[in-house]
Amino acid sequence: MPFYLELAVGRLVQGGALTTFKVLRIFRIMRVMKLIRHSKRLILMGRVIQDCLSELTLLLVIWLMGVLTFGTVMYYIESEKDNNFDSILHSCWWAVVSISTVGYGDMYPKTGLGKLVGSCLLFISMVYLALPMTVIVSKFNKAFEKFKEDEQAASEVKEQFRSIINSKIHCKSSSKMNNSTA
């Protein structure tokens, strides 16, 4: 909703009505998702993700195990120091940020053992991110090759159909010319 309309409606209607309007705006964005059905390549991407669902589920489970394990270990290592590892959930947040290699810098280990565990986590997370990607990329490559083969076959069928139609048209036009000259 534009600012001026929000301002006017906000003064007229207090409470949850304005929030309802804001939520309804989100559904306008969802209309963009309709464009996926018109793009063959986006449909292909969706099929590949569907085919890789078991690998992605395994990736998520292993990720959760790593977050909980390293978050808990880091909490017990760093809990005596005066830093941001206040609870296991805060430590799990540090693990999430570290595994995803974002590294905000809001939390970091200060003890030597904590730095060692953090270094191990970073090394394991690089391997963790790299291994499933090879499986997903290979499945995508296979699906894309099949997609290109199907498109090539479809274009060949269209070309054959055009040549048959053109030959029929030329045969009819030449037979009409022969009949008119005779």
Side-chain angles (χ1 to χ4, degrees):
M1 181 181 317
F3 170 73
Y4 56 87
L5 192 56
E6 189 174 308
L7 187 63
V9 171
R11 290 184 186 202
L12 295 175
V13 180
Q14 297 296 324
L18 189 59
T19 305
T20 305
F21 282 124
K22 288 180 180 179
V23 170
L24 290 175
R25 286 178 55 196
I26 293 172
F27 289 113
R28 290 176 53 200
I29 296 170
M30 297 302 289
R31 289 188 295 179
V32 174
M33 300 301 278
K34 290 182 182 180
L35 295 176
I36 290 175
R37 65 179 170 200
H38 299 294
S39 173
K40 293 179 184 177
R41 293 176 192 240
L42 288 176
I43 292 171
L44 174 70
M45 190 68 123
R47 287 184 187 148
V48 169
I49 289 173
Q50 216 171 21
D51 291 344
C52 294
L53 217 52
S54 62
E55 289 88 356
L56 291 172
T57 304
L58 180 65
L59 185 72
L60 180 66
V61 168
I62 293 171
W63 179 79
L64 283 172
M65 287 177 14
V67 166
L68 289 174
T69 303
F70 280 98
T72 304
V73 168
M74 192 58 75
Y75 170 72
Y76 287 117
I77 290 173
E78 295 287 326
S79 63
E80 281 110 32
K81 289 288 180 184
D82 186 28
N83 56 16
N84 292 334
F85 294 92
D86 298 331
S87 68
I88 291 178
L89 286 178
H90 282 98
S91 301
C92 285
W93 170 249
W94 169 82
V96 165
V97 169
S98 298
I99 287 175
S100 64
T101 67
V102 172
Y104 290 128
D106 57 344
M107 297 174 70
Y108 54 90
K110 294 181 180 173
T111 64
L113 187 58
K115 290 177 183 179
L116 180 68
V117 169
S119 299
C120 290
L121 174 67
L122 289 175
F123 177 74
I124 290 171
S125 68
M126 285 187 287
V127 172
Y128 163 78
L129 291 174
L131 286 178
M133 289 303 136
T134 57
V135 174
I136 293 169
V137 167
S138 69
K139 282 192 175 189
F140 180 77
N141 282 338
K142 287 179 187 175
F144 192 70
E145 287 299 320
K146 185 180 180 313
F147 173 75
K148 287 194 323 190
E149 288 172 4
D150 291 346
E151 274 192 340
Q152 182 69 28
S155 68
E156 288 174 4
V157 167
K158 281 182 181 177
E159 192 58 41
Q160 289 174 353
F161 185 72
R162 282 186 189 132
S163 66
I164 290 171
I165 296 292
N166 286 338
S167 66
K168 295 269 185 188
I169 291 172
H170 289 300
C171 286
K172 284 185 179 180
S173 64
S174 65
S175 67
K176 283 183 182 178
M177 290 183 74
N178 287 340
N179 289 340
S180 63
T181 56

